Amino acid sequence: MVGLRNQSSDDLVKELLSTVKKLSDIQSDDRSLMTLCPEGLPSLQNVKEIMSLLWKLMFPELFFERTAIISRLEYRIGITTERLFELLQEEIAIGLSCRPKRNGKQMIDNYPEAHDLTMDIISFLPELKRLLYTDIHAIMRKDPAAGNEVEIILCYPSVKAMLHHRFAHLIFSMHIPYLPRIISELSHSQTGIDIHPGATIGEYFAIDHGTGVVVGETCIIGNHVTLYQGVTLGAKSFRYDGEGTPLNIPRHPIIEDNVTVYSNATILGRITIGHDTVIGGNVWVTESIPANSRVIQGGIRNDNLSH
């Protein structure tokens, strides 16, 4: 800035014009960002509205006006679902345009496919609601500080994180670029819980407190699993192809049913934590753990523990 301040006005204009030209020089080869998404990018504003609509549809008793609850709930849900369909179809069509080229050609009209995928997503919403309520009930059973379901929905970040994750995971399974990651990162920024949309998570999943929890892409988590704050389910190392690009292969832990992982534990690599195991706080696990174990800083106990 000092150098620019000392220049004459003509020199300053030249310098600014040169900078603008350099910034405007879009790459002409296949690395150009414009070639990756020829129909534009998903709209962050639309995705935020999609998640807001979804939140209302999951809990209409709480987030629709009381007059609607009493007299016109089905009508309001219908209007909200219609708006959700419209936004989803638009964003999915844009996402599909960002897929790699097929036989050297980019698909232009993605709306027929986007329409069918959106219909599948809308049809899944009742199941999404059921799954989300299993997570709420898990928190009720695990946390004595939880007063009731309303308090959990309004105040516990894990509910919002799991709504985003279960929805993003469905879209991820449909191989739609960008949209699942945008949804998961919205949740990450709002809750401090970072779950990759590729992670597979079973029913009755509870996250207590939640800040700093990280769950990697290829994690498989069973039913009735509880994680506390600061838990990392990550990758220990990566394998690379001949060009030095990391291979996207299973590299994150498998957590079986009825496992509890306490705060700041780190579990790395494609290992299995056996069912009915407790992982203590601040431990580092890089090898598989048998079922019914208790892992603490001093070592591993296997005493047919049930919890």
Side-chain angles (χ1 to χ4, degrees), residues 261-304:
V261 185
Y262 281 100
S263 58
N264 299 311
T266 299
I267 304 174
L268 301 180
R270 193 57 164 187
I271 61 177
T272 297
I273 307 300
H275 64 81
D276 296 283
T277 287
V278 173
I279 305 293
N282 297 297
V283 300
W284 183 278
V285 182
T286 57
E287 296 181 356
S288 292
I289 303 296
N292 299 297
S293 296
R294 184 191 296 270
V295 182
I296 57 178
Q297 291 188 16
I300 302 172
R301 284 177 49 199
N302 186 284
D303 53 4
N304 294 316

Side-chain angles (χ1 to χ4, degrees), residues 32-231:
S32 170
L33 299 181
M34 293 179 67
T35 66
L36 297 177
C37 294
E39 295 184 24
L41 294 172
S43 164
L44 181 58
Q45 192 60 41
N46 282 352
V47 176
K48 288 180 177 179
E49 184 177 351
I50 285 169
M51 297 314 301
S52 176
L53 295 171
L54 193 60
W55 187 249
K56 290 182 177 180
L57 289 174
M58 294 297 102
F59 310 109
E61 310 94 318
L62 300 181
F63 299 111
F64 282 124
E65 295 84 353
R66 291 293 174 175
T67 54
I69 300 299
I70 295 170
S71 61
R72 306 184 70 189
L73 179 59
E74 189 171 338
Y75 171 77
R76 291 299 301 274
I77 289 176
I79 294 297
T80 304
T81 304
E82 183 178 8
R83 175 62 176 164
L84 178 64
F85 185 97
E86 174 188 344
L87 290 171
L88 264 177
Q89 181 176 244
E90 177 71 22
E91 296 310 312
I92 288 174
I94 291 172
L96 293 176
S97 74
C98 300
R99 291 180 298 188
K101 296 179 181 179
R102 297 180 180 177
N103 299 321
K105 297 180 180 180
Q106 192 87 41
M107 295 292 293
I108 301 301
D109 184 8
N110 295 292
Y111 275 88
E113 185 178 358
H115 177 275
D116 292 344
L117 292 173
T118 306
M119 282 298 302
D120 290 341
I121 292 171
I122 296 297
S123 298
F124 183 78
L125 294 186
E127 173 64 7
L128 175 63
K129 182 172 183 175
R130 186 194 70 80
L131 288 170
L132 199 60
Y133 266 94
T134 70
D135 302 329
I136 293 168
H137 293 155
I139 294 171
M140 278 292 297
R141 290 202 300 267
K142 292 284 186 176
D143 187 1
N148 54 46
E149 287 86 351
V150 173
E151 181 180 344
I152 292 170
I153 293 166
L154 294 178
C155 305
Y156 280 61
S158 62
V159 177
K160 180 169 286 187
M162 287 310 297
L163 172 63
H164 281 69
H165 172 71
R166 295 196 185 281
F167 190 64
H169 181 70
L170 174 64
I171 299 174
F172 183 88
S173 70
M174 295 174 170
H175 306 289
I176 300 169
Y178 302 129
L179 190 57
R181 291 300 302 271
I182 293 172
I183 292 171
S184 67
E185 286 306 313
L186 281 176
S187 171
H188 184 196
S189 66
Q190 293 171 10
T191 67
I193 298 169
D194 184 3
I195 308 177
H196 192 285
T200 301
I201 300 178
E203 301 180 1
Y204 297 93
F205 181 64
I207 304 176
D208 200 352
H209 303 293
T211 304
V213 167
V214 176
V215 179
E217 176 186 9
T218 62
C219 276
I220 300 175
I221 298 176
N223 299 323
H224 300 281
V225 169
T226 300
L227 307 181
Y228 284 80
Q229 69 272 16
V231 168

Side-chain angles (χ1 to χ4, degrees), residues 228-240:
Y228 284 80
Q229 69 272 16
V231 168
T232 296
L233 305 180
K236 183 179 178 181
S237 60
F238 308 104
R239 291 170 57 188
Y240 297 86

